Amino acid sequence: MVLPILKLGDPTLRKIAIEVPVEEISSPSIQSLIDDLIETKRAANAIGIAAPQVGSLKRIFLVEVLSDTPSYRPRYPLTIVINPKITFLSEDYFEFYEGCLSIPDLRGAVPRCLDIRVEGFDRNANLIDLKVRGVSAGIFQHELDHLDGVLFLDKVENSKTLCTWEEYRKHSEASFRAQVKEVIFKYGC
Ligand code: NI
């Protein structure tokens, strides 16, 4: 079921989500929440979503970049992470333009680590231990922030980068895409 997405100003987006006990991952309520998150994310043509964005304070997010998603990011397969932990593996950062389903029509540049380890559980309660590098790494960091009540706006270091989609396309997209190409070249993703 496609769920309504909470928007900036809703206090739930600022709360800390709670861990899902591993034995509850297979429960119908968690499984249907995951199904709803997938459907809601795809209906919105987004690249990620976190449970608090649909009003559920559980530590669950998912990432998926489809080829027809309007994003500069390369394809990334559907990855559901429950109780995620992220470790930064390098000091390499890059400022990515981000947007958020909960903050419609606003973009801004956020520094993200380019080399991370993601640990947690998948929807079958199997352990996940992934290395995520390059452009894709930023999505995982954005989604984890949602579980801690943090929005990308809080991490925009230069507020002059904030812009609407229309102005982003007009003034920033071309040069930003050229910089992203270099990251993809360096990291292969
Ligand atoms: Ni978001």
Side-chain angles (χ1 to χ4, degrees):
M1 183 170 49
V2 175
L3 300 173
I5 293 164
L6 306 187
K7 299 294 187 319
L8 180 67
D10 190 305
T12 301
L13 290 173
R14 294 310 201 165
K15 292 187 175 147
I16 309 239
I18 49 172
E19 290 213 335
V20 182
V22 178
E23 62 276 12
E24 283 178 23
I25 292 176
S26 61
S27 68
S29 66
I30 295 295
Q31 291 294 316
S32 78
L33 170 61
I34 291 168
D35 289 337
D36 290 346
L37 283 168
I38 295 169
E39 260 191 77
T40 305
K41 177 246 162 236
R42 287 181 179 163
N45 229 349
I47 57 176
I49 194 168
Q53 292 182 276
V54 297
S56 171
L57 286 169
K58 308 274 188 204
R59 296 190 78 81
I60 302 173
F61 69 66
L62 60 91
V63 169
E64 179 189 44
V65 186
L66 299 167
S67 53
D68 58 352
T69 306
S71 172
Y72 54 82
R73 304 189 195 250
R75 287 183 67 171
Y76 198 91
L78 176 64
T79 306
I80 295 148
V81 193
I82 301 163
N83 302 341
K85 184 182 150 211
I86 290 183
T87 313
F88 293 173
L89 300 177
S90 82
E91 308 266 301
D92 283 358
Y93 283 77
F94 183 81
E95 288 220 331
F96 290 106
Y97 267 92
E98 295 189 6
C100 181
L101 289 176
S102 296
I103 310 170
D105 199 25
L106 193 65
R107 299 179 72 66
V110 182
R112 297 292 187 188
C113 182
L114 287 166
D115 199 357
I116 62 169
R117 178 181 184 188
V118 180
E119 294 167 274
F121 295 91
D122 69 12
R123 70 179 303 169
N124 300 314
N126 295 315
L127 279 168
I128 292 178
D129 189 350
L130 293 171
K131 294 263 172 69
V132 187
R133 308 186 77 213
V135 175
S136 308
I139 316 171
F140 286 80
Q141 292 163 72
H142 175 117
E143 300 309 334
L144 178 63
D145 282 346
H146 275 300
L147 306 185
D148 293 320
V150 173
L151 300 172
F152 86 84
L153 286 180
D154 307 332
K155 293 198 163 174
V156 169
E157 288 185 345
N158 177 3
S159 57
K160 293 194 174 77
T161 64
L162 289 168
C163 53
T164 64
W165 262 105
E166 190 182 352
E167 299 305 321
Y168 165 75
R169 287 199 187 96
K170 271 198 264 181
H171 305 289
S172 308
E173 186 173 22
S175 65
F176 178 61
R177 275 183 185 267
Q179 294 172 48
V180 165
K181 258 191 183 166
E182 287 176 29
V183 174
I184 294 173
F185 183 74
K186 184 172 171 197
Y187 286 88
C189 47

